[in-house]
Amino acid sequence: MVFPIRSKARRILSTMAAVRPSSTCSNYRRKSSASNLTNSAEVEQGTHVELLPSVKRQPVRRLEASSDSMELAHECSNCEGENVSKANNGPDLFGEMKERFLSFKKHKFLKESEHFQTLAQAQAPKFMVIACADSRVCPSNILGFQPGEAFMIRNVANLVPPFENEASETNAALEFAVNTLEVKNILVIGHSSCAGIETLMRMQDDGDSSLTHSWVINAKVAKLRTKAVAPHLSFDQQCRHCEKESINSSLLNLRTYPWIEDRAKKEMLSLHGGYYDFLRCTFEKWTLDMNGIRPVGGGRYLDKDRELWG
C-alpha cells in the first residue's frame, strides 16, 4: 500500500503546482523574504489578487486536485484501519487458513483428482468415529484418516447417550452411518485431560441445569464405577480412570441401539474403544467382546485385542 499512495501523492502535488502559477509563488516568496511585520498584510493582499485570476481560469483542475485529495485521504484511512485491525487482532488467521487450503489443493486434491471425483459421487467410509470436540485432539491428524475413510462426530467428552434418550446429533449420525452408509466399525476415542470428564467428576447432585451438565450426565455410570473402584486415588487419577471408563460406557450404550446390536451380533459391525494420551503420545485401542453380557442398567463389558501404540 505504501508505493501506490506515494505515487498518488506526487501526482496530486504536481496537479496543485499546475494550478498555482510559478511566477506568483516565486513573487510571493521574494516579497515575504524582503518584508517585515509592518508590510506583511500588503504582501498577502497582493498575492491574493494575483492568484484569483488563475483560480478562475482553471476551476476544473482545482476540482480534480480536490477529488484526488479526498481519494488519497480515504485510502490512507483504510490503510490505517487495516493496520489497527491487524494490531488488535494479531495474525491474519484466515490468511493462514487460505494458505493451508491452497496447499491442500495443490499437493493433495489436484494430485489425487480422480479419487476426489469419485468421492464427490458417493462415500463408503470404513469407520464411524466418535471423538471429543477438544481442539487438541483431531482424529484425522492423530490417526491419519484420509478423505472418505471416516464418518465423524465430535462432541463434549466423546459420549454416546443411551438409545432411550431424545434425538441428538450423535445418535442421528449413528443412525445414518450404520443404516445408510453401513459402516463396519464404530470407534469411540477418548483422551487425557478431558475437561468434559473433569466437569462430570466435579458435579454435585444438586440439579444443575446447564447444557454441559445435562450432556455429561450421560456418563454418570462411568463416574459411579470410578468412585467405587478407585476411592483411594487422587482426583486427577480418578479423572484419568473415568476417561477410559466413559469410553466403555459409551460402547455399552451403543448396544442399546437395536440396529447396532443386530448388526454387531451378526458380526457385520465391530465396536472399538481408543484412548489418546497426548502428554505421552500413546494410543490404546481395544475391541468390545460381543459375547459379553448385554448391558442392562449399566451392565458389564469384556474387551479383546487390546493394544498400546507408541
Side-chain angles (χ1 to χ4, degrees):
M1 293 299 292
V2 175
F3 295 104
I5 292 175
R6 286 181 176 173
S7 177
K8 185 158 288 186
R10 286 196 294 269
R11 179 162 58 84
I12 293 171
L13 291 175
S14 175
T15 305
M16 293 177 69
V19 174
R20 294 186 179 181
S22 59
S23 59
T24 303
C25 296
S26 61
N27 183 39
Y28 175 77
R29 286 195 294 271
R30 286 198 298 272
K31 288 182 180 181
S32 297
S33 61
S35 302
N36 53 29
L37 293 175
T38 59
N39 61 9
S40 60
E42 180 183 350
V43 174
E44 291 175 1
Q45 183 179 3
T47 304
H48 175 70
V49 172
E50 292 175 359
L51 283 174
L52 189 57
S54 299
V55 173
K56 288 182 178 179
R57 283 195 300 271
Q58 300 185 25
V60 176
R61 279 191 168 184
R62 288 297 299 273
L63 288 173
E64 288 177 352
S66 176
S67 175
D68 285 344
S69 299
M70 292 177 65
E71 184 180 347
L72 176 60
H74 179 68
E75 290 186 8
C76 288
S77 176
N78 287 342
C79 184
E80 290 175 0
E82 290 175 2
N83 290 336
V84 170
S85 177
K86 288 183 179 180
N88 290 340
N89 298 329
D92 183 2
L93 299 180
F94 281 96
E96 295 176 5
M97 188 183 297
K98 175 184 175 181
E99 292 303 315
R100 289 197 295 267
F101 170 75
L102 294 176
S103 177
F104 160 76
K105 182 176 181 178
K106 178 180 179 181
H107 299 290
K108 188 74 175 177
F109 184 87
L110 294 179
K111 288 185 177 181
E112 302 176 20
S113 58
E114 186 175 340
H115 173 62
F116 281 97
Q117 289 299 322
T118 301
L119 287 179
Q121 303 303 316
Q123 59 172 326
K126 303 172 184 177
F127 295 90
M128 164 66 180
V129 175
I130 302 166
C132 186
D134 194 301
S135 64
R136 302 164 295 179
V137 185
C138 177
S140 294
N141 183 264
I142 297 165
L143 300 176
F145 289 119
Q146 298 302 304
E149 285 188 343
F151 189 81
M152 198 172 300
I153 184 72
R154 297 180 68 175
N155 62 40
V156 174
N158 46 268
L159 301 181
V160 176
F163 175 68
E164 292 79 8
N165 282 20
E166 61 184 16
S168 71
E169 60 184 15
T170 300
N171 51 36
L174 281 168
E175 182 181 61
F176 182 75
V178 175
N179 290 344
T180 302
L181 300 179
E182 298 183 345
V183 297
K184 304 299 182 184
N185 299 277
I186 299 179
L187 173 61
V188 181
I189 304 175
H191 67 93
S192 59
S193 303
C194 181
I197 295 300
E198 182 177 337
T199 297
L200 172 70
M201 294 296 291
R202 292 187 185 279
M203 280 174 55
Q204 303 296 323
D205 297 328
D206 55 3
D208 189 310
S209 59
S210 73
L211 294 176
T212 301
H213 285 206
S214 298
W215 173 252
V216 297
I217 199 65
N218 283 303
K220 185 177 180 179
V221 171
K223 175 182 178 178
L224 295 176
R225 284 178 175 165
T226 297
K227 293 290 187 180
V229 302
H232 58 287
L233 298 179
S234 68
F235 177 78
D236 287 343
Q237 290 173 323
Q238 287 183 344
C239 286
R240 300 296 82 78
H241 187 280
C242 190
E243 286 163 356
K244 294 183 180 181
E245 194 67 57
S246 71
I247 297 170
N248 288 318
S249 290
S250 287
L251 292 175
L252 291 177
N253 284 343
L254 284 171
R255 298 192 63 182
T256 66
Y257 291 76
W259 66 88
I260 292 178
E261 176 69 4
D262 180 61
R263 287 176 179 271
K265 281 187 172 182
K266 294 177 180 178
E267 298 185 350
M268 299 171 62
L269 178 65
S270 298
L271 310 180
H272 313 272
Y275 181 80
Y276 172 54
D277 187 333
F278 59 73
L279 293 175
R280 299 178 177 84
C281 195
T282 59
F283 191 88
E284 191 173 359
K285 175 265 176 189
W286 61 95
T287 299
L288 188 69
D289 187 351
M290 299 310 297
N291 294 320
I293 300 174
R294 191 179 189 282
V296 177
R300 290 160 43 190
Y301 63 88
L302 295 174
D303 62 65
K304 60 182 181 180
D305 302 329
R306 185 175 289 269
E307 299 178 50
L308 181 63
W309 305 339

